[in-house]
Amino acid sequence: MTRTIFSAIVPSGRLTLGNYLGALRRFVSVQHEARCVFCIADLHALTTDHDPRRLCQLAEETVTLFLAAGLDPGVCVIVRQSDVPAHTELSYLLECTAYTGELNRMIQFKEKGRGRPKTRVSLYTYPVLMAADILAYRTTEVPVGDDQRQHLELARDLALRFNRSYGEIFVVPEMSPAIVAARVMDLQDPTAKMSKSAPYDAAGTIRLLDSPDVIRRKIMRAVTDPGSEVRHDVENQPGITNLLEILAACLDENDPAALARRYQSYGALKKDVAEAVVAVLDPLRKKCADLAADPAYVNATLRAGAERAQALAAPTVAAAKQAIGLGTL
Ligand code: AQP
């Protein structure tokens, strides 16, 4: 079986430090290790109210960020989801495999949609589309943040059920979570995930394209915890723990608890976190500005990615269609 890595980011807002540490940076580090497909999942951004022009711009910005972060389109496939019909085609076959009971339990639907008559049907079904995104490429590993665990479980369950019912078509993927900063928390509410759909200027959300001054200001104003001891303790010191996780991830260290011992005050920790984040994001922001000046390159990347992705996914979709009982020409 070919080792295949697939992951996606939804262009539902401007990307955050959480998206970078939990996902994008990890895509870059694995791209030479396996066949990799990295996706800008624009269809998933249609599940709640959206502005069509903004969505299109955000999708383009997200591709540019993929390239600026170091994804090499000569090495991995960079694809916009809506450019590859295989995703939606397979999604329907998997909808015919999924149970309403399991979709009723999906957290996003429970939190944002259940019981509201104007909830879009797609908010209910998108976890199946996400399973199709993954399964279409015979994915073996999915590097994602901790928040995606439930979605991946569904993809695994659907693959297993389909295979049991119709024959061994799908590879059952494994989740590969980040070791540190698997869930970067909001700087103003360290009990909530840092999220790209927060209001744009939210003080608790660091955007990848924030200027160094804005990054420093947000981190220096981050909510901390009562007391003054610097400890890695998710339960009792969520604010400080979040800062330690961010620092460890930015410094490429795997032990945020050990980092805590270097600090006697919250202020000193915040200063180092701010400088570490600026050091990681500043080159990205500059590269992104260079790429934004070359839209032809970004477009060519998307065109080539769409062709390669469709070629990779088509045989699996064709096999699934045949297995489930649909005719082939
Ligand atoms: N705060 C986070 N910490 C670590 N990883 C994170 N990811 C997202 N937020 C964090 C990871 O980024 C990848 C892309 O996520 P997504 O586009 O599917 O959206 P999401 O997980 O729902 O992230 P957001 O930013 O919170 O988006 P909205 O606000 O639109 O729901 C995934 O690998 C995710 O784990």
Side-chain angles (χ1 to χ4, degrees):
M1 192 188 312
T2 309
R3 185 177 171 211
T4 303
I5 296 174
F6 173 91
S7 199
I9 295 189
V10 181
S12 50
R14 305 190 81 181
L15 300 201
T16 71
L17 182 65
N19 297 127
Y20 184 70
L21 297 178
L24 185 50
R25 189 175 72 153
R26 302 177 57 223
F27 303 171
V28 176
S29 73
V30 297
Q31 66 180 326
H32 292 280
E33 292 174 13
R35 176 166 75 191
C36 290
V37 180
F38 296 116
C39 178
I40 295 94
D42 52 352
L43 296 173
H44 290 292
L46 302 177
T47 54
T48 49
D49 257 1
H50 75 284
D51 170 351
R53 250 189 74 215
R54 182 166 181 267
L55 171 57
C56 201
Q57 284 164 355
L58 283 171
E60 275 165 25
E61 183 176 284
T62 306
V63 190
T64 310
L65 279 165
F66 276 24
L67 294 167
L71 284 181
D72 178 349
V75 171
C76 63
V77 179
I78 298 174
V79 64
R80 183 168 52 195
Q81 186 187 26
S82 61
D83 292 330
V84 179
H87 291 238
T88 42
E89 200 178 358
L90 183 57
S91 181
Y92 183 72
L93 303 189
L94 294 176
E95 278 183 24
C96 300
T97 309
Y99 301 140
T100 53
E102 52 201 353
L103 296 191
N104 286 335
R105 288 194 294 275
M106 301 308 288
I107 291 165
Q108 292 272 355
F109 177 67
K110 270 167 60 178
E111 287 180 353
K112 293 188 189 161
R114 193 156 70 185
R116 298 179 200 164
K118 290 199 173 163
T119 296
R120 293 184 182 174
V121 174
S122 55
L123 186 69
Y124 187 61
T125 55
Y126 88 90
V128 181
L129 175 59
M130 193 166 156
D133 300 337
I134 296 168
L135 300 181
Y137 298 101
R138 303 183 61 73
T139 300
T140 52
E141 288 160 54
V142 190
V144 277
D146 196 46
D147 56 314
Q148 295 296 326
R149 198 168 286 280
Q150 193 190 32
H151 288 130
L152 201 81
E153 280 306 316
L154 179 74
R156 288 171 54 83
D157 289 346
L158 295 182
L160 288 165
R161 192 176 306 145
F162 192 102
N163 287 352
R164 255 194 325 269
S165 305
Y166 308 113
E168 290 289 320
I169 301 296
F170 296 119
V171 172
V172 182
E174 300 285 341
M175 172 164 169
S176 86
I179 297 168
V180 282
R183 190 181 288 243
V184 176
M185 307 308 273
D186 188 285
L187 298 177
Q188 289 299 314
D189 176 6
T191 61
K193 190 183 79 158
M194 186 181 287
S195 170
K196 67 173 119 61
S197 51
Y200 181 65
D201 51 0
T205 307
I206 295 180
R207 308 280 170 180
L208 298 187
L209 297 179
D210 277 348
S211 70
D213 282 351
V214 169
I215 293 171
R216 288 189 185 102
R217 196 166 58 240
K218 286 178 178 173
I219 292 173
M220 294 312 287
R221 290 184 187 164
V223 164
T224 46
D225 313 294
S228 58
E229 200 189 337
V230 177
R231 270 187 306 132
H232 187 275
D233 175 349
V234 183
E235 283 285 298
N236 302 306
Q237 299 233 23
I240 289 299
T241 300
N242 189 34
L243 292 174
L244 286 166
E245 291 274 335
I246 293 172
L247 182 60
C250 289
L251 298 180
D252 257 331
E253 295 197 17
N254 283 340
D255 190 354
L259 270 181
R261 294 194 277 279
R262 295 185 202 161
Y263 292 95
Q264 260 66 55
S265 75
Y266 290 173
L269 171 66
K270 283 181 167 178
K271 248 193 187 148
D272 280 5
V273 175
E275 291 319 311
V277 173
V278 167
V280 166
L281 296 189
D282 210 32
L284 182 73
R285 194 171 49 89
K286 289 179 178 148
K287 189 84 207 295
C288 205
D290 292 346
L291 285 161
D294 189 1
Y297 175 66
V298 175
N299 278 336
T301 299
L302 283 177
R303 259 196 309 278
E307 247 173 59
R308 287 172 67 199
Q310 182 65 23
L312 284 175
T316 306
V317 179
K321 280 172 78 175
Q322 195 171 18
I324 207 169
L326 301 174
T328 46
L329 287 174

